[in-house]
Amino acid sequence: MKYIIISIGLLFAGIAALNLFGGSLVQEIIQPVKVSESPYNGPAASPAAGKTAPYFELADLAGKKVRISDLAGSPLVLVFWTTWNPAAADQIKIIDDLSRQTDPPQFKIMAIDSQEDRAVVANFIKRGGYQVGSLLDENGAVSESYKITTLPAAYFIDAKGFVRDIELGTLSAAVIVDKAKATIGAR
Amino acid sequence: MSLTFILDNLRFALEQLGALAFFVAAWLAFSAFRQRRDLASGSWFFGFALLTIWHMMNAFGFEADLFIYAGYIIRAVGLLLLIISLSKGRPFQGVAMTAVLVLPSVTKAAIPFNIIGFIGVSIVALLACLRCIREKNRVDRPLALGFLFLSVTELFLLFSNQNPLVGFWLIAHSAEAIGYLLLAIWSQHYLRTHLKEEIILVFLTIALIVTTIVTLAFSTFIIARVEADTENNLSINAKVLNLAIEQLKKSALAEAKYLSDRSDIRSAIQSNDFAGLQRILSSSLESEDLGFIAVTGRDGAVILRAQAPTAKGDNLSGERAASSALAGNPLVTVEFGAGEGFSVRGAAPVISGGKIIGAVIAGFPLDNAMADNIKKITGLEMSIFNGSVLAATTALNPDGRTRDTGTQVTDETVLADVLRGGKSLTADTQFLSRAYIASYLPLHDADGKIVGMISSAEPQQDILNAAAATNRLTFLVVGLITLFCVPPVYFLAQKLLE
């Protein structure tokens, strides 16, 4: 009889200990379900994770020039997209919703439209009522330097300008936040 | 009130019945354990006690992963203890237990734990049957049969989804009800010789029944109101969305007329100044807040599109708006075209010297971006259908990153009433195997023909979650009040027996 009581006691003690001290082990059972999100995982050929993000200077929709150095100092999520790609367009909605949250995330988000006319991009952003900032890579040079072959593509860059992660395909808000937070903690 | 809600409430009542049946068995087992104090009686008691706890947790339907996970473990341990107790006649070698170091996520654990549940209940049923046969014991037959029915329940639940309207769900829960009744019959036999326990258990049973009835009655009333309000709100939402589309139609026609009257556009068409025309249209696309602008020649061939300068040369004379404009009649309609997609479009002729030299088609694609903007203004979730095919929606799938555009409505009631019948409809419906309460309105073109639908919907799960929360709170409050009466009954029973 005492063995039963000891066994049950150990079982509940184990669950309690995992809950209190299990850290990342217990994280998995209390996080929402994450569906395997993109058919590609892992870094593109170049720039590989761990290297400095390529420099760029692009105009936003108002014509103001924005450099990547202007976005340094906090983790950055760069999302490459285009209006004619439905998955990429959905990504804009997701990062727009994220940027509107009352509890702002500890990272910046910037979209870069790849090889489209300013009027087309401005029209799409206006029609959707999206407020997320978007830069225009009209000639595709920046997309080339980041070796973008699939849209949408997300680059997770830490505060010092190093690429920490690259994800291809549409990402949910939860995944973007998780990966951006991992970037914050990366050394 | 929806059948889904009624069946969910029945499930709640059934789980309470199960908890009561196992509680009675646990109480009787406790009496035996107090006297014998051995492995068999102890594991019998703890097994039934853990299963009682599991049934209560299952009834309340908490959604937190940790809670669900704890429930799985409690149930597995409870079944294991019953198995240990029933196999007490065989040499007991002890069970090698491996410490759990890494716990997978609940959805990954659900399938193996559900299979463990089925196997565990089946083993208990088998051992109980063998004991009845071996000991020629007719008293324990209801116990064996009860667990047999519960194993049938587990088997069917493995293959059913959570939709209560599916056959397997109904069969499983019917078998579950029979199983609990058999367990109660089995417990009742032993209660005949335990008068004090019988008095207290009768009181507890009555208290539980009263609590369950009050809980269900209260939540039924509340949720009926919630459902009615939800349906009413959805109907209003759909009308608001329809109004938004009517405004888009007015705007599209006004813009098409304005652009077709512009002298710079007229001159650019006449002089074949495509570069100039592109500059004007690009500027107008942004300044006039339009979704697209297309200019055609007299024959209907596209000269230029502002939103896609390289997409030209196709002929729009087969489309209703363009053909009407080329005939000299401005028109606004909702239609699908290869170039502009499913859209609200206004068209007006470009006239020079009394002759029609082309047409301007201006409008708004009925796409996800437009739906997102309307949601930002109104706060309403909406969907737009091109025929029966979902053209645009604000709702993301449970994966949080995709939308179901391109999928088809298969609900025959919706297709018959709205798409073919032209009526508005607010009802329970299914879309991609998910249950919703939705309100639909038909979308008409310029000729009054139905070309699509707009809808506003709420997942039924939201209402069921509200019902579960109401049940939990009501049950807790009423149950606590009732339990205050237990000590007086206990002491009264004690005095009666003295």
Side-chain angles (χ1 to χ4, degrees), chain A residues 1 4 8 11 15 18-19 25 28-29 31 33 37 90 93-94 96 100 118 120 123-124 126-130 170-172, chain B residues 33 39 42-43 46 65-66 77 101 103-104 107-108 285-286 289-291 307 367-369 372-373 376 394 399-401 403:
Chain A
M1 186 60 232
I4 295 172
I8 293 172
L11 186 66
I15 293 173
L18 274 169
N19 195 25
L25 293 178
E28 187 157 2
I29 67 167
Q31 290 296 334
V33 173
E37 298 221 348
D90 284 347
K93 172 202 160 57
I94 292 166
D96 183 65
R100 286 168 187 268
R118 195 200 76 83
V120 171
N123 172 262
F124 179 86
K126 205 167 187 180
R127 283 197 308 108
Y130 304 122
T170 314
L171 305 178
S172 67
Chain B
F33 169 61
L39 172 69
S43 55
F46 278 105
D65 281 357
L66 206 54
V77 172
L101 293 178
L103 298 175
T107 50
K108 287 181 196 165
L285 188 70
E286 192 176 346
D289 286 346
L290 286 163
Q307 72 281 7
D367 60 1
N368 289 333
D372 289 341
N373 197 23
K376 284 183 180 63
T394 53
D399 63 9
R401 63 188 187 97
R403 309 196 222 205

Short mmCIF file of all heavy atoms in Angstrom, two decimals, chain A residues 1 4 8 11 15 18-19 25 28-29 31 33 37 90 93-94 96 100 118 120 123-124 126-130 170-172, chain B residues 33 39 42-43 46 65-66 77 101 103-104 107-108 285-286 289-291 307 367-369 372-373 376 394 399-401 403:
data_model
loop_
_atom_site.label_atom_id
_atom_site.label_comp_id
_atom_site.label_asym_id
_atom_site.label_seq_id
_atom_site.Cartn_x
_atom_site.Cartn_y
_atom_site.Cartn_z
N MET A 1 0.82 -1.21 0.00
CA MET A 1 0.00 0.00 0.00
C MET A 1 0.85 1.26 0.00
O MET A 1 0.59 2.22 -0.72
CB MET A 1 -0.91 -0.03 1.25
CG MET A 1 -1.91 1.10 1.28
SD MET A 1 -2.98 1.08 -0.15
CE MET A 1 -2.77 2.73 -0.70
N ILE A 4 2.11 2.31 -3.34
CA ILE A 4 1.17 3.05 -4.20
C ILE A 4 1.20 4.53 -3.84
O ILE A 4 1.27 5.40 -4.71
CB ILE A 4 -0.26 2.50 -4.04
CG1 ILE A 4 -0.32 1.06 -4.57
CG2 ILE A 4 -1.25 3.38 -4.78
CD1 ILE A 4 -1.62 0.38 -4.27
N ILE A 8 2.37 7.48 -6.38
CA ILE A 8 1.50 8.60 -6.78
C ILE A 8 2.09 9.92 -6.31
O ILE A 8 2.09 10.92 -7.04
CB ILE A 8 0.08 8.41 -6.22
CG1 ILE A 8 -0.58 7.20 -6.91
CG2 ILE A 8 -0.77 9.66 -6.43
CD1 ILE A 8 -1.89 6.81 -6.32
N LEU A 11 4.87 10.86 -8.58
CA LEU A 11 4.35 11.30 -9.88
C LEU A 11 3.93 12.76 -9.83
O LEU A 11 4.31 13.58 -10.68
CB LEU A 11 3.15 10.42 -10.26
CG LEU A 11 2.58 10.64 -11.66
CD1 LEU A 11 3.57 10.23 -12.72
CD2 LEU A 11 1.30 9.84 -11.83
N ILE A 15 5.56 16.12 -11.62
CA ILE A 15 4.85 17.10 -12.45
C ILE A 15 5.05 18.50 -11.89
O ILE A 15 5.29 19.46 -12.62
CB ILE A 15 3.34 16.75 -12.54
CG1 ILE A 15 3.16 15.45 -13.32
CG2 ILE A 15 2.57 17.87 -13.20
CD1 ILE A 15 1.74 14.93 -13.31
N LEU A 18 8.58 19.67 -12.59
CA LEU A 18 8.73 20.06 -13.99
C LEU A 18 8.09 21.40 -14.24
O LEU A 18 8.61 22.22 -14.99
CB LEU A 18 8.10 19.01 -14.90
CG LEU A 18 8.99 17.82 -15.26
CD1 LEU A 18 8.17 16.75 -15.92
CD2 LEU A 18 10.14 18.24 -16.15
N ASN A 19 6.95 21.62 -13.62
CA ASN A 19 6.26 22.88 -13.83
C ASN A 19 7.07 24.04 -13.28
O ASN A 19 7.16 25.11 -13.88
CB ASN A 19 4.89 22.81 -13.15
CG ASN A 19 3.98 23.93 -13.60
OD1 ASN A 19 4.13 24.47 -14.70
ND2 ASN A 19 3.05 24.30 -12.77
N LEU A 25 11.51 22.42 -20.95
CA LEU A 25 10.81 21.15 -21.10
C LEU A 25 9.31 21.37 -20.98
O LEU A 25 8.52 20.83 -21.73
CB LEU A 25 11.27 20.14 -20.06
CG LEU A 25 12.71 19.64 -20.19
CD1 LEU A 25 13.03 18.68 -19.07
CD2 LEU A 25 12.95 18.98 -21.52
N GLU A 28 7.09 23.49 -23.77
CA GLU A 28 6.47 22.89 -24.93
C GLU A 28 5.02 22.52 -24.68
O GLU A 28 4.20 22.61 -25.57
CB GLU A 28 7.26 21.65 -25.34
CG GLU A 28 6.74 21.08 -26.66
CD GLU A 28 7.76 20.25 -27.38
OE1 GLU A 28 8.86 20.09 -26.84
OE2 GLU A 28 7.47 19.78 -28.47
N ILE A 29 4.67 22.11 -23.44
CA ILE A 29 3.29 21.68 -23.24
C ILE A 29 2.37 22.83 -22.90
O ILE A 29 1.17 22.66 -22.83
CB ILE A 29 3.16 20.59 -22.15
CG1 ILE A 29 3.51 21.15 -20.77
CG2 ILE A 29 3.99 19.40 -22.47
CD1 ILE A 29 3.10 20.22 -19.65
N GLN A 31 2.77 25.87 -24.56
CA GLN A 31 2.73 26.78 -25.69
C GLN A 31 1.62 26.33 -26.64
O GLN A 31 1.26 25.18 -26.66
CB GLN A 31 4.07 26.75 -26.44
CG GLN A 31 5.21 27.39 -25.67
CD GLN A 31 4.97 28.86 -25.45
OE1 GLN A 31 4.28 29.53 -26.19
NE2 GLN A 31 5.54 29.39 -24.38
N VAL A 33 -0.12 25.14 -30.11
CA VAL A 33 0.38 24.20 -31.11
C VAL A 33 1.04 24.96 -32.23
O VAL A 33 0.53 25.97 -32.69
CB VAL A 33 -0.81 23.41 -31.70
CG1 VAL A 33 -0.36 22.54 -32.86
CG2 VAL A 33 -1.43 22.57 -30.62
N GLU A 37 5.58 25.05 -40.50
CA GLU A 37 5.01 26.16 -41.24
C GLU A 37 5.50 26.31 -42.66
O GLU A 37 4.77 26.78 -43.50
CB GLU A 37 5.29 27.45 -40.47
CG GLU A 37 4.63 27.43 -39.13
CD GLU A 37 4.02 28.77 -38.81
OE1 GLU A 37 4.30 29.73 -39.51
OE2 GLU A 37 3.25 28.83 -37.86
N ASP A 90 -0.73 38.03 -47.49
CA ASP A 90 -1.25 37.62 -46.17
C ASP A 90 -0.22 37.89 -45.08
O ASP A 90 -0.57 38.21 -43.94
CB ASP A 90 -1.60 36.12 -46.18
CG ASP A 90 -2.90 35.83 -46.91
OD1 ASP A 90 -3.64 36.79 -47.19
OD2 ASP A 90 -3.17 34.65 -47.20
N LYS A 93 -0.62 41.30 -43.75
CA LYS A 93 -1.72 41.42 -42.78
C LYS A 93 -1.26 40.96 -41.39
O LYS A 93 -1.54 41.59 -40.38
CB LYS A 93 -2.92 40.57 -43.23
CG LYS A 93 -4.02 40.53 -42.15
CD LYS A 93 -4.93 39.35 -42.27
CE LYS A 93 -5.69 38.97 -41.03
NZ LYS A 93 -6.53 39.97 -40.44
N ILE A 94 -0.52 39.85 -41.37
CA ILE A 94 -0.09 39.28 -40.08
C ILE A 94 0.85 40.24 -39.37
O ILE A 94 0.71 40.51 -38.17
CB ILE A 94 0.56 37.89 -40.30
CG1 ILE A 94 -0.51 36.89 -40.76
CG2 ILE A 94 1.23 37.39 -39.03
CD1 ILE A 94 0.04 35.60 -41.31
N ASP A 96 1.12 43.40 -39.90
CA ASP A 96 0.38 44.63 -39.59
C ASP A 96 -0.38 44.46 -38.28
O ASP A 96 -0.35 45.34 -37.41
CB ASP A 96 -0.59 44.95 -40.72
CG ASP A 96 -1.34 46.24 -40.48
OD1 ASP A 96 -0.69 47.31 -40.46
OD2 ASP A 96 -2.57 46.20 -40.28
N ARG A 100 0.24 46.42 -34.54
CA ARG A 100 -0.82 47.21 -33.91
C ARG A 100 -1.11 46.79 -32.48
O ARG A 100 -1.95 47.37 -31.82
CB ARG A 100 -2.13 47.04 -34.68
CG ARG A 100 -2.20 47.74 -36.00
CD ARG A 100 -3.42 47.24 -36.76
NE ARG A 100 -3.46 47.75 -38.10
CZ ARG A 100 -4.09 48.87 -38.45
NH1 ARG A 100 -4.72 49.57 -37.55
NH2 ARG A 100 -4.07 49.28 -39.70
N ARG A 118 5.96 51.89 -57.22
CA ARG A 118 5.55 52.53 -55.97
C ARG A 118 4.04 52.70 -55.89
O ARG A 118 3.43 52.48 -54.84
CB ARG A 118 6.22 53.90 -55.84
CG ARG A 118 6.17 54.49 -54.44
CD ARG A 118 6.41 55.99 -54.48
NE ARG A 118 5.21 56.67 -54.96
CZ ARG A 118 4.16 56.97 -54.19
NH1 ARG A 118 4.16 56.68 -52.92
NH2 ARG A 118 3.11 57.58 -54.71
N VAL A 120 1.70 50.94 -57.23
CA VAL A 120 1.01 49.66 -57.00
C VAL A 120 1.09 49.28 -55.52
O VAL A 120 0.09 48.87 -54.91
CB VAL A 120 1.66 48.56 -57.88
CG1 VAL A 120 1.14 47.19 -57.50
CG2 VAL A 120 1.39 48.84 -59.35
N ASN A 123 -0.96 51.66 -53.41
CA ASN A 123 -2.38 51.36 -53.58
C ASN A 123 -2.80 50.16 -52.73
O ASN A 123 -3.83 50.17 -52.06
CB ASN A 123 -2.67 51.10 -55.06
CG ASN A 123 -4.08 50.60 -55.28
OD1 ASN A 123 -4.31 49.41 -55.43
ND2 ASN A 123 -5.02 51.51 -55.31
N PHE A 124 -1.96 49.11 -52.74
CA PHE A 124 -2.28 47.91 -51.97
C PHE A 124 -2.31 48.22 -50.48
O PHE A 124 -3.23 47.80 -49.75
CB PHE A 124 -1.26 46.80 -52.28
CG PHE A 124 -1.50 45.54 -51.52
CD1 PHE A 124 -2.37 44.57 -51.99
CD2 PHE A 124 -0.87 45.31 -50.30
CE1 PHE A 124 -2.59 43.41 -51.29
CE2 PHE A 124 -1.09 44.14 -49.59
CZ PHE A 124 -1.96 43.19 -50.09
N LYS A 126 -2.77 51.04 -49.02
CA LYS A 126 -3.88 51.92 -48.68
C LYS A 126 -5.21 51.15 -48.68
O LYS A 126 -6.05 51.33 -47.82
CB LYS A 126 -3.94 53.05 -49.71
CG LYS A 126 -4.60 54.31 -49.20
CD LYS A 126 -4.33 55.44 -50.15
CE LYS A 126 -4.83 56.75 -49.59
NZ LYS A 126 -4.58 57.88 -50.48
N ARG A 127 -5.39 50.30 -49.68
CA ARG A 127 -6.65 49.54 -49.77
C ARG A 127 -6.84 48.64 -48.57
O ARG A 127 -7.94 48.42 -48.10
CB ARG A 127 -6.67 48.68 -51.05
CG ARG A 127 -6.97 49.44 -52.29
CD ARG A 127 -7.41 48.55 -53.45
NE ARG A 127 -6.50 47.45 -53.71
CZ ARG A 127 -6.77 46.18 -53.44
NH1 ARG A 127 -7.90 45.84 -52.87
NH2 ARG A 127 -5.90 45.24 -53.74
N GLY A 128 -5.73 48.07 -48.10
CA GLY A 128 -5.83 47.18 -46.95
C GLY A 128 -5.83 47.90 -45.61
O GLY A 128 -6.06 47.29 -44.58
N GLY A 129 -5.56 49.22 -45.64
CA GLY A 129 -5.49 49.96 -44.38
C GLY A 129 -4.31 49.52 -43.54
O GLY A 129 -4.32 49.68 -42.31
N TYR A 130 -3.28 48.97 -44.18
CA TYR A 130 -2.13 48.47 -43.42
C TYR A 130 -1.25 49.64 -42.98
O TYR A 130 -1.04 50.59 -43.73
CB TYR A 130 -1.31 47.49 -44.26
CG TYR A 130 -2.13 46.33 -44.80
CD1 TYR A 130 -2.21 46.08 -46.16
CD2 TYR A 130 -2.83 45.48 -43.94
CE1 TYR A 130 -2.96 45.02 -46.67
CE2 TYR A 130 -3.59 44.43 -44.43
CZ TYR A 130 -3.65 44.20 -45.79
OH TYR A 130 -4.40 43.16 -46.28
N THR A 170 4.93 31.89 -45.39
CA THR A 170 4.16 32.75 -44.48
C THR A 170 4.33 32.26 -43.05
O THR A 170 4.20 31.07 -42.78
CB THR A 170 2.67 32.72 -44.87
OG1 THR A 170 2.56 32.86 -46.27
CG2 THR A 170 1.92 33.85 -44.19
N LEU A 171 4.59 33.17 -42.15
CA LEU A 171 4.76 32.84 -40.73
C LEU A 171 3.60 33.41 -39.94
O LEU A 171 3.15 34.52 -40.20
CB LEU A 171 6.07 33.43 -40.19
CG LEU A 171 7.35 33.05 -40.93
CD1 LEU A 171 8.54 33.76 -40.30
CD2 LEU A 171 7.57 31.54 -40.91
N SER A 172 3.15 32.66 -38.95
CA SER A 172 2.12 33.18 -38.06
C SER A 172 2.74 34.19 -37.09
O SER A 172 3.96 34.24 -36.93
CB SER A 172 1.48 32.05 -37.26
OG SER A 172 2.42 31.50 -36.37
N PHE B 33 -10.83 -0.79 1.86
CA PHE B 33 -9.42 -0.49 2.11
C PHE B 33 -9.17 -0.22 3.60
O PHE B 33 -8.14 -0.63 4.15
CB PHE B 33 -9.01 0.72 1.25
CG PHE B 33 -7.67 1.30 1.60
CD1 PHE B 33 -6.52 0.53 1.48
CD2 PHE B 33 -7.55 2.60 2.05
CE1 PHE B 33 -5.28 1.05 1.81
CE2 PHE B 33 -6.32 3.13 2.37
CZ PHE B 33 -5.18 2.37 2.25
N LEU B 39 -2.61 -4.19 -0.93
CA LEU B 39 -2.34 -3.59 -2.24
C LEU B 39 -3.60 -3.57 -3.10
O LEU B 39 -3.93 -2.57 -3.74
CB LEU B 39 -1.22 -4.38 -2.94
CG LEU B 39 -0.95 -3.99 -4.40
CD1 LEU B 39 -0.33 -2.61 -4.48
CD2 LEU B 39 -0.02 -5.02 -5.06
N GLY B 42 -6.24 -1.08 -1.83
CA GLY B 42 -5.72 0.28 -1.96
C GLY B 42 -5.70 0.76 -3.39
O GLY B 42 -6.14 1.87 -3.71
N SER B 43 -5.22 -0.08 -4.27
CA SER B 43 -5.17 0.33 -5.68
C SER B 43 -6.58 0.42 -6.25
O SER B 43 -6.86 1.25 -7.12
CB SER B 43 -4.31 -0.63 -6.50
OG SER B 43 -4.74 -1.95 -6.35
N PHE B 46 -7.81 3.91 -4.96
CA PHE B 46 -7.15 5.05 -5.62
C PHE B 46 -7.48 5.09 -7.10
O PHE B 46 -7.58 6.16 -7.71
CB PHE B 46 -5.63 5.00 -5.41
CG PHE B 46 -5.21 5.57 -4.08
CD1 PHE B 46 -4.82 4.74 -3.04
CD2 PHE B 46 -5.23 6.93 -3.86
CE1 PHE B 46 -4.45 5.26 -1.81
CE2 PHE B 46 -4.86 7.47 -2.63
CZ PHE B 46 -4.47 6.63 -1.61
N ASP B 65 -3.45 23.63 -21.74
CA ASP B 65 -2.72 22.40 -22.07
C ASP B 65 -2.27 21.65 -20.83
O ASP B 65 -2.36 20.41 -20.77
CB ASP B 65 -1.49 22.76 -22.93
CG ASP B 65 -1.90 23.01 -24.37
OD1 ASP B 65 -3.10 22.84 -24.68
OD2 ASP B 65 -1.04 23.37 -25.17
N LEU B 66 -1.81 22.39 -19.81
CA LEU B 66 -1.31 21.73 -18.60
C LEU B 66 -2.43 20.95 -17.93
O LEU B 66 -2.22 19.85 -17.41
CB LEU B 66 -0.75 22.79 -17.65
CG LEU B 66 0.32 22.34 -16.65
CD1 LEU B 66 1.48 21.66 -17.35
CD2 LEU B 66 0.83 23.54 -15.87
N VAL B 77 -3.04 6.67 -14.80
CA VAL B 77 -2.64 6.09 -13.51
C VAL B 77 -3.83 5.39 -12.86
O VAL B 77 -3.71 4.30 -12.30
CB VAL B 77 -2.06 7.17 -12.58
CG1 VAL B 77 -1.83 6.62 -11.19
CG2 VAL B 77 -0.77 7.72 -13.14
N LEU B 101 10.96 12.55 -18.59
CA LEU B 101 11.92 13.65 -18.62
C LEU B 101 11.47 14.75 -19.57
O LEU B 101 11.66 15.92 -19.31
CB LEU B 101 13.28 13.14 -19.06
CG LEU B 101 13.96 12.20 -18.07
CD1 LEU B 101 15.29 11.71 -18.62
CD2 LEU B 101 14.17 12.90 -16.73
N LEU B 103 8.20 16.15 -21.84
CA LEU B 103 6.78 16.01 -22.11
C LEU B 103 6.47 16.62 -23.47
O LEU B 103 6.72 17.80 -23.67
CB LEU B 103 5.96 16.71 -21.03
CG LEU B 103 6.16 16.14 -19.62
CD1 LEU B 103 5.40 16.98 -18.61
CD2 LEU B 103 5.70 14.70 -19.56
N PRO B 104 5.95 15.87 -24.40
CA PRO B 104 5.61 16.46 -25.69
C PRO B 104 4.37 17.34 -25.57
O PRO B 104 3.72 17.34 -24.54
CB PRO B 104 5.32 15.25 -26.58
CG PRO B 104 4.91 14.18 -25.63
CD PRO B 104 5.66 14.43 -24.36
N THR B 107 -1.12 18.12 -28.21
CA THR B 107 -1.69 17.51 -29.41
C THR B 107 -0.92 16.28 -29.83
O THR B 107 -1.48 15.34 -30.37
CB THR B 107 -1.70 18.51 -30.57
OG1 THR B 107 -0.42 19.09 -30.70
CG2 THR B 107 -2.72 19.59 -30.35
N LYS B 108 0.40 16.28 -29.59
CA LYS B 108 1.18 15.09 -29.90
C LYS B 108 0.85 13.98 -28.92
O LYS B 108 0.85 12.81 -29.25
CB LYS B 108 2.68 15.39 -29.82
CG LYS B 108 3.22 16.23 -30.96
CD LYS B 108 4.72 16.46 -30.79
CE LYS B 108 5.20 17.59 -31.67
NZ LYS B 108 6.52 18.06 -31.29
N LEU B 285 -4.59 56.40 -59.60
CA LEU B 285 -4.80 55.20 -58.79
C LEU B 285 -4.59 55.52 -57.32
O LEU B 285 -5.35 55.08 -56.45
CB LEU B 285 -3.84 54.10 -59.24
CG LEU B 285 -4.05 52.71 -58.65
CD1 LEU B 285 -5.31 52.08 -59.20
CD2 LEU B 285 -2.85 51.81 -58.97
N GLU B 286 -3.55 56.29 -57.08
CA GLU B 286 -3.24 56.60 -55.68
C GLU B 286 -4.11 57.72 -55.16
O GLU B 286 -4.68 57.63 -54.07
CB GLU B 286 -1.76 56.99 -55.57
CG GLU B 286 -1.30 57.04 -54.13
CD GLU B 286 0.17 57.33 -54.03
OE1 GLU B 286 0.88 57.23 -55.05
OE2 GLU B 286 0.62 57.66 -52.93
N ASP B 289 -7.83 56.75 -54.57
CA ASP B 289 -8.06 55.61 -53.67
C ASP B 289 -8.76 54.45 -54.37
O ASP B 289 -9.63 53.80 -53.79
CB ASP B 289 -8.91 56.02 -52.45
CG ASP B 289 -8.11 56.82 -51.46
OD1 ASP B 289 -6.87 56.83 -51.59
OD2 ASP B 289 -8.71 57.46 -50.59
N LEU B 290 -8.40 54.21 -55.63
CA LEU B 290 -9.03 53.12 -56.36
C LEU B 290 -8.21 51.85 -56.25
O LEU B 290 -7.02 51.88 -55.93
CB LEU B 290 -9.16 53.50 -57.84
CG LEU B 290 -10.26 54.53 -58.12
CD1 LEU B 290 -10.05 55.15 -59.50
CD2 LEU B 290 -11.63 53.88 -58.04
N GLY B 291 -8.86 50.72 -56.54
CA GLY B 291 -8.14 49.45 -56.54
C GLY B 291 -7.51 49.17 -57.88
O GLY B 291 -6.45 48.56 -57.96
N GLN B 307 -2.58 49.46 -62.38
CA GLN B 307 -2.02 48.60 -61.33
C GLN B 307 -1.08 47.54 -61.90
O GLN B 307 -0.34 46.91 -61.14
CB GLN B 307 -3.15 47.92 -60.53
CG GLN B 307 -3.91 46.81 -61.24
CD GLN B 307 -4.95 47.30 -62.23
OE1 GLN B 307 -5.06 48.50 -62.50
NE2 GLN B 307 -5.73 46.37 -62.78
N ASP B 367 -11.02 41.56 -52.57
CA ASP B 367 -9.96 40.64 -52.17
C ASP B 367 -9.69 40.77 -50.68
O ASP B 367 -10.37 41.52 -49.97
CB ASP B 367 -8.69 40.90 -52.99
CG ASP B 367 -8.14 42.31 -52.80
OD1 ASP B 367 -8.74 43.09 -52.02
OD2 ASP B 367 -7.13 42.65 -53.43
N ASN B 368 -8.68 40.03 -50.22
CA ASN B 368 -8.38 40.00 -48.79
C ASN B 368 -8.00 41.38 -48.25
O ASN B 368 -8.36 41.73 -47.12
CB ASN B 368 -7.24 39.01 -48.51
CG ASN B 368 -7.68 37.57 -48.70
OD1 ASN B 368 -8.85 37.25 -48.54
ND2 ASN B 368 -6.75 36.70 -49.04
N ALA B 369 -7.30 42.17 -49.08
CA ALA B 369 -6.88 43.50 -48.61
C ALA B 369 -8.11 44.37 -48.34
O ALA B 369 -8.19 45.07 -47.33
CB ALA B 369 -5.96 44.16 -49.63
N ASP B 372 -9.74 43.19 -45.21
CA ASP B 372 -8.98 43.62 -44.03
C ASP B 372 -9.29 45.07 -43.69
O ASP B 372 -9.42 45.43 -42.52
CB ASP B 372 -7.46 43.48 -44.28
CG ASP B 372 -7.01 42.03 -44.31
OD1 ASP B 372 -7.77 41.16 -43.81
OD2 ASP B 372 -5.93 41.75 -44.86
N ASN B 373 -9.41 45.91 -44.72
CA ASN B 373 -9.67 47.33 -44.47
C ASN B 373 -11.07 47.54 -43.90
O ASN B 373 -11.27 48.33 -42.97
CB ASN B 373 -9.50 48.14 -45.75
CG ASN B 373 -9.34 49.62 -45.46
OD1 ASN B 373 -8.95 50.02 -44.37
ND2 ASN B 373 -9.66 50.45 -46.43
N LYS B 376 -10.98 46.72 -40.37
CA LYS B 376 -10.34 47.75 -39.53
C LYS B 376 -11.34 48.87 -39.23
O LYS B 376 -11.33 49.45 -38.16
CB LYS B 376 -9.12 48.33 -40.24
CG LYS B 376 -7.92 47.39 -40.18
CD LYS B 376 -6.70 48.00 -40.83
CE LYS B 376 -5.52 47.05 -40.76
NZ LYS B 376 -5.68 45.79 -41.46
N THR B 394 -11.48 37.79 -43.89
CA THR B 394 -10.60 38.40 -42.89
C THR B 394 -10.05 37.34 -41.95
O THR B 394 -9.10 37.58 -41.22
CB THR B 394 -11.36 39.42 -42.04
OG1 THR B 394 -12.53 38.80 -41.52
CG2 THR B 394 -11.76 40.63 -42.87
N ASP B 399 -4.00 27.79 -38.04
CA ASP B 399 -2.54 27.84 -38.05
C ASP B 399 -2.02 29.27 -37.95
O ASP B 399 -0.83 29.50 -37.81
CB ASP B 399 -1.96 27.15 -39.31
CG ASP B 399 -2.40 27.84 -40.61
OD1 ASP B 399 -3.00 28.94 -40.56
OD2 ASP B 399 -2.13 27.28 -41.68
N GLY B 400 -2.92 30.24 -38.04
CA GLY B 400 -2.53 31.63 -37.83
C GLY B 400 -1.82 32.28 -39.00
O GLY B 400 -1.25 33.38 -38.85
N ARG B 401 -1.80 31.62 -40.17
CA ARG B 401 -1.02 32.22 -41.27
C ARG B 401 -1.67 32.05 -42.63
O ARG B 401 -1.20 32.62 -43.60
CB ARG B 401 0.38 31.61 -41.28
CG ARG B 401 0.39 30.14 -41.56
CD ARG B 401 1.77 29.52 -41.38
NE ARG B 401 1.72 28.14 -41.83
CZ ARG B 401 2.09 27.74 -43.03
NH1 ARG B 401 2.58 28.59 -43.90
NH2 ARG B 401 1.99 26.48 -43.38
N ARG B 403 -5.29 31.64 -45.24
CA ARG B 403 -6.73 31.87 -45.34
C ARG B 403 -7.29 30.85 -46.33
O ARG B 403 -6.58 30.37 -47.21
CB ARG B 403 -7.03 33.29 -45.83
CG ARG B 403 -6.32 34.37 -45.06
CD ARG B 403 -6.94 35.72 -45.31
NE ARG B 403 -5.91 36.74 -45.48
CZ ARG B 403 -6.10 38.02 -45.23
NH1 ARG B 403 -7.25 38.46 -44.79
NH2 ARG B 403 -5.12 38.89 -45.43
#
